[in-house]
Amino acid sequence: MTTEVYLPPDTLSRPDRPAYEELSKKAEEDPIDFWAGIARELEWFQDFQAVFEGNGVTGKWFLGGKCNIVANTLDRHAKTWRKNKLAIIWEGENGETRTLSYHALNREVTRLATVLKSMGINKGDRVTIYMPRIPEQVIAMLATAKIGAVHSVVYGGFSTDALRERMMSAESRLLITADGGYMNGKVVPLKEIATEAIKRVPSLESVIVVKHIGQEVSMEPGRDYFYHDLMSLKLANLVQTEPMDAEDPLFILYTSGTTGKPKGVVHVHGGYMVGAYCSTKWVFDIRDEDRYFCTADPGWITGHTYVTYGPLINGATLLLYEGGPSTPYPDRWWHLISKYGISIFYTTPTAIRGLMRYGDAWPKRHDLKQLRLLGSVGEPINPAAWKWFHRAVGDGQCPIMDTYWQTETGMICISPLPETPLKPGSCAKPLPGMGAEILTESGEPCGPNEEGYLVLTRPFPSLARTLYKDPEEFQRIYFSKFPGKYFTGDTARLDEDGYFWVIGRSDEIIKVSGYRLGTAEVESGLVSHPAVAEAAVIGVPHDIKGNVIKAFVALKPGFSPSIALEEELKAHVGHEVGPIAKPESILFMDNLPKTRSGKILRRLLRAKELGLDTGDVSTLEE
Ligand code: WT7
């Protein structure tokens, strides 16, 4: 098999930056010294005594060290000339703009942290954040972390049940939300959804509401407070950044797993901070003169690590854009890139494929000459979309960093660096210090280009420490299939040059437009409708979205299939779980295929749908 290889432009050579080989060699020779050196580039309240303690890939990092990620995100920069540098440039979907310098961001975060503390939020308490993409979303995350509380950001595109479930699981004491937000020309009534969601969350004591869209919202006295009222209070003593143990939790981020309940992935201050810092520096090569734009929402891991923490720890200027890429026209991002002089742009294959559909004319209308580096994340990028992104957006001059990682890994694991020769569709090689292998079902290494399970083989500081309140599940999902190694759940192949090619999920997770959905979540959304007896969903390949959801539904007696019911069920899932979980199509069946023990045979439905081999069906019920 011959693949085209793209070499980096000469302009990217950096004499002041160690090359990939040099870093990797160092990491290989002495991983402890390697990670300790990176960690010590950051500020610690108290140095750590041990770098890593654990077995296999899991363990604790930077033991005895005292730190706070916010000390490195804000306090450190506020003491230098960077206090005058822009931290955040924000643009709303309707075109309004705001900017915050590092000084201003630090001031706002400190004020909100003081407010939170005065409301009785303590170290270790959970705070749920359900916000549109506005600066207050980032401010809320940082303020929570500053006082040592634990944030759980819930994507603003999720609906009532998803929000409620996540608040219940985390036992959140406080919710920070907004009256609403704009997305793709529509208003999302966040406070209204939140009011509904908190009805059955006993732990919840207070709600802080940011006025953003200016819509009238119902406020419950003694429970709901406007952000702006709280922030204008006279605050006597502003809080200091709380020194935390390196292993203290920083955030919980719920993500879809193989069971109906979303999993609360737990990341900690020390290791996550180090991973976010070095990966942003290596992969995006961020410099003070850069302007960086990652289109992710802070409600996802990409938005935690590569909108918020990674760029800010590196002292970068970032663009936060509230809305969708085609509002009002499908050149909104190209317009933003030219307007703000963006030099590093990071987005998803789904977005690229979606915008590619509108043709070259849209990016051509804008001056994108400031761009020097592009990035892709969330799902495999097909070579056609890669080449379009490279040519039409990057003018053939900007290497594309196809970054492979997960909510659980906290940081990018497999990715090119700017100087790496690129193969469209491959995420290249493990980052320095990381190890990856492709294994067969029985745990043997696969041969060149043979498809197998992707595992991570070396410990790295930002790997999730546990699943919230479910350490057994954490062990079972990630460490039981291949003992001593971390199982990603993905299949991939490794080519003759040591380049990784991710194929896709091997489990009950479907990536729709790069969003991660569990089949069980969508199914329980369907089954919660009074007409539905049973439901099974599968992922079906789609040109733009990567995959879409196809649902198979058996109705309860007294209900019969109709187009109206199909539409009603789609809307129901959209309302219960969130718009991203809506099935693309629904097939009504009398019965779903099941094993004799009653398990729905999703595999069989999928094989039939995609015209694949149906495999072993001996367990099929009559
Ligand atoms: C899953 C993790 C990590 C940021 C956003 C997604 C898929 C992620 C790539 C890539 C192929 C990718 C995998 C992975 N994935 N990046 N560059 N190439 N597949 O985080 O929601 O936790 O999803 O996304 O299937 O396991 P996530």
Side-chain angles (χ1 to χ4, degrees), residues 69 114-115 133 147 220 327 368 384 398 413 453 515 523 619:
I69 196 165
T114 307
V115 166
R133 235 159 18 230
I147 60 169
E220 187 167 309
T327 306
L368 308 178
C398 307
C413 301
Y453 297 108
Y515 296 119
E523 288 160 2
T619 57

Side-chain angles (χ1 to χ4, degrees), residues 255 300-302 346 376-381 402-409 414 427 488-490 502-505 511 514-516:
T255 185
W300 305 105
I301 191 68
T302 308
Y346 189 25
S376 168
V377 64
E379 50 184 321
I381 178 164
D402 178 356
T403 62
Y404 170 86
W405 58 298
Q406 307 178 309
T407 305
E408 293 86 341
T409 66
I414 310 180
C427 53
T488 61
D490 286 304
V502 177
I503 296 162
R505 302 291 315 185
K511 283 253 142 179
Y515 296 119
R516 176 166 162 176

Side-chain angles (χ1 to χ4, degrees), residues 108-369:
E108 296 304 298
V109 167
T110 305
R111 288 191 70 84
L112 182 60
T114 307
V115 166
L116 299 185
K117 197 96 204 182
S118 72
M119 291 172 86
I121 302 297
N122 293 315
K123 197 167 170 168
D125 286 346
R126 275 81 55 212
V127 174
T128 296
I129 299 171
Y130 181 62
M131 296 273 263
R133 235 159 18 230
I134 55 175
E136 284 75 11
Q137 187 181 29
V138 172
I139 293 168
M141 290 165 73
L142 297 174
T144 304
K146 186 178 172 82
I147 60 169
V150 178
H151 58 70
S152 162
V153 184
V154 178
Y155 174 53
F158 274 125
S159 303
T160 320
D161 276 6
L163 174 61
R164 178 189 300 123
E165 203 170 19
R166 285 159 175 76
M167 284 191 289
M168 298 242 285
S169 163
E171 294 172 287
S172 292
R173 294 186 56 202
L174 172 71
L175 170 68
I176 308 180
T177 186
D179 51 359
Y182 299 101
M183 186 47 76
N184 301 317
K186 280 189 259 168
V187 167
V188 187
L190 296 168
K191 173 65 169 73
E192 216 174 277
I193 297 170
T195 301
E196 191 55 34
I198 56 184
K199 276 186 185 154
R200 280 181 279 132
V201 184
S203 59
L204 203 96
E205 295 160 27
S206 329
V207 182
I208 298 180
V209 183
V210 177
K211 286 185 194 169
H212 173 51
I213 60 171
Q215 208 166 60
E216 191 78 27
V217 289
S218 69
M219 299 286 282
E220 187 167 309
R223 185 195 68 189
D224 301 353
Y225 303 89
F226 280 117
Y227 176 92
H228 311 268
D229 294 342
L230 297 172
M231 291 290 270
S232 60
L233 293 174
K234 284 213 168 55
L235 302 169
N237 293 306
L238 293 175
V239 296
Q240 300 283 315
T241 304
E242 185 75 29
M244 305 294 287
D245 283 336
E247 285 288 316
D248 277 340
L250 165 64
F251 64 83
I252 305 172
L253 185 55
Y254 286 89
T255 185
S256 295
T258 47
T259 62
K261 292 248 170 284
K263 306 178 290 186
V265 174
V266 178
H267 283 286
V268 299
H269 272 266
Y272 175 80
M273 161 177 100
V274 172
Y277 162 66
C278 68
S279 56
T280 310
K281 189 166 134 169
W282 293 336
V283 176
F284 297 111
D285 179 30
I286 281 201
R287 312 176 203 175
D288 269 317
E289 57 272 33
D290 277 311
R291 285 187 162 193
Y292 167 93
F293 177 23
C294 168
T295 64
D297 189 282
W300 305 105
I301 191 68
T302 308
H304 280 59
T305 312
Y306 299 110
V307 173
T308 307
Y309 290 112
L312 294 176
I313 294 173
N314 280 282
T317 296
L318 64 95
L319 171 66
L320 188 69
Y321 164 57
E322 177 185 19
S326 3
T327 306
Y329 300 109
D331 63 343
R332 186 65 182 267
W333 285 351
W334 319 137
H335 182 238
L336 290 167
I337 291 169
S338 106
K339 178 175 176 187
Y340 295 109
I342 299 300
S343 49
I344 305 170
F345 177 62
Y346 189 25
T347 191
T348 65
T350 288
I352 297 163
R353 290 189 293 259
L355 294 169
M356 181 171 122
R357 206 172 36 155
Y358 296 102
D360 289 25
W362 291 100
K364 276 222 175 76
R365 292 165 74 146
H366 301 277
D367 175 7
L368 308 178
K369 290 270 175 318

Side-chain angles (χ1 to χ4, degrees), residues 584-612:
E584 183 90 351
S585 63
I586 298 178
L587 186 73
F588 292 104
M589 298 175 88
D590 291 340
N591 286 300
L592 299 182
K594 273 190 235 117
T595 61
R596 276 182 222 104
S597 59
K599 263 186 86 173
I600 295 177
L601 270 171
R602 230 180 257 112
R603 178 177 57 82
L604 185 67
L605 291 168
R606 191 158 181 278
K608 280 238 159 94
E609 181 69 27
L610 304 180
L612 308 171

Side-chain angles (χ1 to χ4, degrees), residues 6 17 92 104 244 372 379 387 429-430 445 553 556:
Y6 289 67
R17 182 179 193 280
M244 305 294 287
R372 65 180 188 89
E379 50 184 321
K387 287 178 193 169
K429 300 182 182 188
V553 165
K556 284 188 189 153

